[in-house]
Amino acid sequence: MTKSILMILTSHDTLGDTGEKTGFWLEEFAAPYFVFRDAGHEIVLASPAGGQPPLDPKSDAEDAQTDATRRFKADPAAQSALANTRPLAEISEDAFDAVFYPGGHGPMWDLVGDVKSVALTEAFWAAGKPIGAVCHAPIIFKHARTQTGDYIVADRDVTGFTNGEEDAVGLTDVVPHLVEDVLKERGGNYAKADDFAPFVRIDGHLVTGQNPASSEGAAKALLGLLG
């Protein structure tokens, strides 16, 4: 049975005060996108500003390419879908069966506190619909709460980009938040694998992946929850 999956990407393109660009991480979008599409599901892409979301140029480098990113670059339909994301303001949770957030450093600045994004996360949670987030995207849970006022990740098994991974890419002092620290501060049962190794956690209808290598696994886990 065809399901409708919402994918929410960042609209933020500035890496703090470094003068460098950031955005979403290509693998973390491409791999889940094709997992969902190959399973026959409808995908709607959205972002705070709508239109083309900014691509982190580092994720477009040759050493960051994967089968999924190469497939994306050869797929005009996927490229067109990405170039025409819907503004978040137009999105309602009740039109979708699940939501998935690709990472990249961009969400650390916009999606973390975007009022509409937080409201959608809370609505999906309250409706019992699967929520997936990979790498830096679990930062969306910093402000998201349950109907009883608790943080969604409190006492939930979660993962996300590790402090060690952030240090390894040299951005510990650049990013406004550290995903690992925030998830722990919000009461999450945070766990991790070795830096940059695939690692996915599932707790109820919540799916989180640690890093880019976890994006396909997190998407498949979300599919498993859809049945």
Side-chain angles (χ1 to χ4, degrees):
M1 181 177 177
T2 300
K3 304 287 187 178
S4 185
I5 301 173
L6 175 65
M7 296 184 72
I8 299 178
L9 296 103
T10 182
S11 293
H12 185 87
D13 68 352
T14 305
L15 190 62
D17 57 5
T18 65
E20 298 180 17
K21 292 297 186 180
T22 190
F24 73 94
W25 197 262
L26 184 55
E27 159 68 13
E28 295 169 29
F29 162 73
Y33 178 85
F34 288 121
V35 166
F36 301 149
R37 201 177 78 177
D38 291 350
H41 298 308
E42 176 188 357
I43 306 164
V44 171
L45 307 181
S47 63
Q52 176 73 56
L55 173 66
D56 187 319
K58 293 185 177 68
S59 74
D60 204 27
E62 184 57 36
D63 62 359
Q65 300 312 299
T66 65
D67 289 345
T69 64
R70 285 185 283 269
R71 180 179 175 185
F72 171 76
K73 291 180 179 183
D75 190 322
Q79 294 167 28
S80 177
L82 182 65
N84 294 281
T85 69
R86 292 174 57 186
L88 273 186
E90 298 179 358
I91 299 297
S92 174
E93 162 272 322
D94 58 13
F96 300 96
D97 298 295
V99 62
F100 189 92
Y101 284 82
H105 280 90
M108 304 285 276
W109 278 273
D110 65 350
L111 293 178
V112 60
D114 184 273
V115 173
K116 180 65 174 182
S117 176
V118 173
L120 283 168
T121 300
E122 293 176 342
F124 274 93
W125 183 260
K129 297 177 180 180
I131 302 173
V134 66
C135 198
H136 287 88
I139 200 68
I140 64 164
F141 298 113
K142 180 178 174 69
H143 300 294
R145 296 177 182 266
T146 68
Q147 292 171 294
T148 58
D150 298 318
Y151 289 111
I152 284 175
V153 296
D155 297 320
R156 295 280 174 182
D157 294 338
V158 292
T159 191
F161 206 61
T162 73
N163 290 352
E165 289 168 332
E166 201 69 80
D167 187 59
V169 298
L171 294 175
T172 299
D173 296 327
V174 173
V175 294
H177 323 274
L178 292 171
V179 176
E180 178 178 338
D181 287 354
V182 166
L183 292 175
K184 290 176 177 177
E185 290 164 3
R186 294 310 191 233
N189 299 325
Y190 181 88
K192 57 188 174 184
D194 291 340
D195 285 353
F196 304 107
F199 187 61
V200 175
R201 303 198 85 191
I202 307 169
D203 192 325
H205 55 287
L206 176 64
V207 175
T208 48
Q210 180 176 317
N211 47 36
S214 310
S215 56
E216 182 175 339
K220 289 180 176 178
L222 191 84
L223 280 189
L225 295 178
L226 280 173

